[in-house]
Amino acid sequence: MKALVVGGGAREHALAQALARSEATVIVASMNANPGLDRLAAAAHRVDPTDPEAVVGVARQHAVDLAVIGPEAPLASGVSDALRAAEIPTVGPSRAAARLETSKQFCREFLARHRVAGQVRYVAPATIEEVDAAVAQLSVPFVVKPSGLTGGKGVRVQGLDFSDPRDGAAYAKSLLVQGDRAVLEERLDGEEFSLMAFVTDSGVYPMPAVQDYKRALEGDRGGNTGGMGSYSQRDHLLPFLPAADRDAAVAILNETHAALRAEGLDYRGVLYGGFMLTRDGPKLLEYNARFGDPEAMNVLTLYEEGDFDELLAGVATGRVDPNLVEFRLRATVVKYLVPPGYGSKPTPGGVLTVDEPAIEAEGVHVYYAAVDAAGPGRVRLGTSRGVALVGEASAIHTASARVDAALAHVHGDYYVRPDIGTKPDLDRRTEHLRRLRAPGAKPSPLPLSVAPPDAPPSSAARPDQVP
Ligand code: AMP
Ligand code: GLY
């Protein structure tokens, strides 16, 4: 099978690797030259992945049997529709269905319209004049989200990013001034998890649950990022996520699929639910219309023995063979190496020496993201996430330790969030939910003001990593 991968990050590198494992020939369409992705591609085209004509051109040139869209931007610009119009089976929902991700306002209104479970209280003020009333109407700590795409970086949370509700209101107004819409939501207390599923005409096929670390710094401090790392547990649940709550989240995905069908919205792709597990069960924070990054690396690492190309072809053509949806029972941990200061003021240009054979010899996989090749075994960091290392083991903290051991084979100036998948971090999250859900527990008083960071972001760079 010949498969086109659209996009050039670590998620796409992992997708291409999984396709190559099932002996598919991989063609790449991306703006950047990803050294890992290009290496395993039979052909790599430097095109704008959001340009429908250019992507269809590459697909036609190679007569591909399948196209897989990695990032959200091509979904937003109609690449999936253009590929389908050219009769190329495609993993990626139509632009109209991808509004679940590309418009948070659409998403909230859609879920409300269909009374899908797990909804939160929200207001989407249409004008600047309505913002103060929206804040008053919510009358609880709240979160402000730009409605449009921001790469996970535009959300501001009361108590984390601002203290005074007036500052939240001012932010919402600034979004409206810029021409976007703002969604204001009640702030939820709990622990977050990502649940992705293959969604197509024949149904919803869930993948293992993953926890992503969205904040830049240890202890969930610092700015919101695309995701600093992630883990998954051996039984495909999470330390704080029991089967009943995972099943409740799957039910929300199923209800959403039914609602999409009821509105005649085609969905053949991956539906990613970003959930908060609260004392009242899972609530939906956001939908993404694609694989998560880094979450894709967790689940694809567990898909080593199957026929990934057949599975994706099933998603693209509307009928999945459930026997192909099989993930190994192992824990996985992903850690992203990012430029120092990432999450606030990243310093680009640092060169990393990556001894891939030594890392692989430790049983750890390497996936490249926003880096340029800088000679044999060397890559140059940009301002985004650079290199992902993925370890597996039977326990999460063991997989985390494996990645740490592999870091000895990377030299240069970078930052890795140190608490990803460590035992104290897992225990802290489990304890948080246990307290929240204890019988008779009062809702915990969430912080209303922003705590001063006890370490400035610059000291977050690990000096021991400077060669
Ligand atoms: P989103 O892009 O909607 O997933 O939001 C980015 C991040 O903001 C989430 O991963 C959460 O950490 C946080 N967040 C979003 N919505 C809420 C909410 N209603 N309550 C608390 N935190 C939230
Ligand atoms: N890890 C969050 C995302 O892919 O949007």
Side-chain angles (χ1 to χ4, degrees):
M1 191 180 300
K2 225 185 230 184
L4 173 67
V5 174
V6 179
R11 163 186 48 207
E12 290 74 32
H13 184 186
L15 279 166
Q17 186 85 68
L19 283 164
R21 275 201 297 274
S22 55
E23 287 171 22
T25 300
V26 175
I27 311 293
V28 171
S30 69
M31 195 77 107
N32 59 310
N34 178 319
L37 193 48
D38 283 6
R39 195 171 55 200
L40 51 86
H45 293 263
R46 294 292 86 84
V47 297
D48 176 358
T50 67
D51 177 347
E53 256 178 55
V55 175
V56 169
V58 173
R60 283 221 170 103
Q61 182 186 334
H62 292 277
V64 300
D65 307 291
L66 175 73
V68 190
I69 298 176
E72 56 276 23
L75 298 171
S77 68
V79 169
S80 48
D81 304 271
L83 285 163
R84 282 205 185 89
E87 296 187 353
I88 295 154
T90 299
V91 178
S94 61
R95 169 160 50 183
R99 278 180 298 164
L100 280 182
E101 167 165 11
T102 59
S103 166
K104 287 187 192 287
Q105 185 190 352
F106 169 85
C107 180
R108 285 289 174 222
E109 288 170 357
F110 176 86
L111 297 174
R113 194 154 63 236
H114 293 276
R115 300 180 194 286
V116 173
Q119 177 73 312
V120 307
R121 284 181 53 218
Y122 77 97
V123 191
T127 62
I128 293 173
E129 290 70 36
E130 288 172 30
V131 170
D132 292 322
V135 171
Q137 190 184 333
L138 284 171
S139 73
V140 286
F142 64 101
V143 173
V144 183
K145 304 180 174 188
S147 181
L149 291 177
T150 59
K153 292 158 199 138
V155 175
R156 296 208 187 151
V157 180
Q158 190 175 358
L160 275 176
D161 305 298
F162 64 90
S163 305
D164 190 329
R166 283 173 298 191
D167 292 335
Y171 177 53
K173 289 173 190 171
S174 76
L175 296 171
L176 288 158
V177 169
Q178 286 160 37
D180 196 358
R181 292 289 296 265
V183 177
L184 279 63
E185 292 178 6
E186 64 175 309
R187 186 186 68 176
L188 300 171
D189 188 13
E191 288 295 332
E192 285 180 57
F193 65 97
S194 311
L195 188 70
M196 302 182 286
F198 298 104
V199 171
T200 192
D201 312 17
S202 61
V204 170
Y205 307 87
M207 302 181 222
V210 179
Q211 185 169 45
D212 177 22
Y213 290 69
K214 291 236 163 73
R215 295 273 167 178
L217 305 178
E218 189 168 8
D220 290 336
R221 291 175 305 108
N224 257 321
T225 72
M228 299 295 295
S230 50
Y231 65 77
S232 73
Q233 185 168 275
R234 187 175 184 278
D235 58 3
H236 301 170
L237 300 169
L238 296 169
F240 57 84
L241 176 69
D245 292 296
R246 189 266 318 270
D247 295 347
V250 171
I252 292 171
L253 298 182
N254 273 306
E255 285 180 37
T256 304
H257 185 221
L260 285 165
R261 292 176 76 98
E263 293 204 9
L265 292 167
D266 284 335
Y267 207 108
R268 293 179 175 180
V270 172
L271 182 61
Y272 164 135
F275 291 95
M276 181 81 86
L277 182 55
T278 70
R279 53 181 283 146
D280 306 316
K283 304 280 178 196
L284 189 85
L285 296 182
E286 66 162 347
Y287 270 133
N288 293 323
R290 50 167 176 84
F291 275 107
D293 185 351
E295 292 94 330
M297 290 180 269
N298 298 92
V299 300
L300 294 175
T301 297
L302 301 173
Y303 198 86
E304 266 183 359
E305 275 119 52
D307 284 315
F308 192 57
D309 57 347
E310 293 295 333
L311 170 57
L312 291 188
V315 174
T317 54
R319 182 147 302 277
V320 161
D321 173 357
N323 295 317
L324 288 177
V325 192
E326 275 220 49
F327 297 90
R328 289 184 298 122
L329 292 164
R330 295 276 279 171
T332 62
V333 169
V334 180
K335 300 191 188 192
Y336 255 119
L337 283 64
V338 301
Y342 178 70
S344 49
K345 279 202 177 69
T347 318
V351 171
L352 301 184
T353 308
V354 183
D355 187 345
E356 269 189 60
I359 296 171
E360 298 280 346
E362 307 252 13
V364 171
H365 305 294
V366 184
Y367 295 108
Y368 292 101
V371 291
D372 293 320
R378 289 155 72 87
V379 293
R380 180 171 289 105
L381 290 169
T383 52
S384 301
R385 299 176 291 185
V387 183
L389 297 189
V390 188
E392 64 168 270
S394 51
I396 297 163
H397 64 274
T398 319
S400 174
R402 290 216 165 130
V403 175
D404 289 345
L407 283 174
H409 307 297
V410 182
H411 299 283
D413 195 6
Y414 63 85
Y415 172 69
V416 169
R417 205 177 128 163
D419 53 348
I420 294 167
T422 60
K423 208 144 193 323
D425 180 80
L426 303 176
D427 290 346
R428 180 173 67 82
R429 292 173 195 278
T430 310
E431 175 57 20
H432 177 206
L433 263 179
R434 197 196 57 74
R435 263 191 289 111
L436 210 56
R437 303 186 109 180
K442 293 199 183 65
S444 61
L446 287 168
L448 279 172
S449 58
V450 180
D454 45 43
S458 58
S459 72
R462 288 167 44 166
D464 54 328
Q465 296 301 333
V466 182

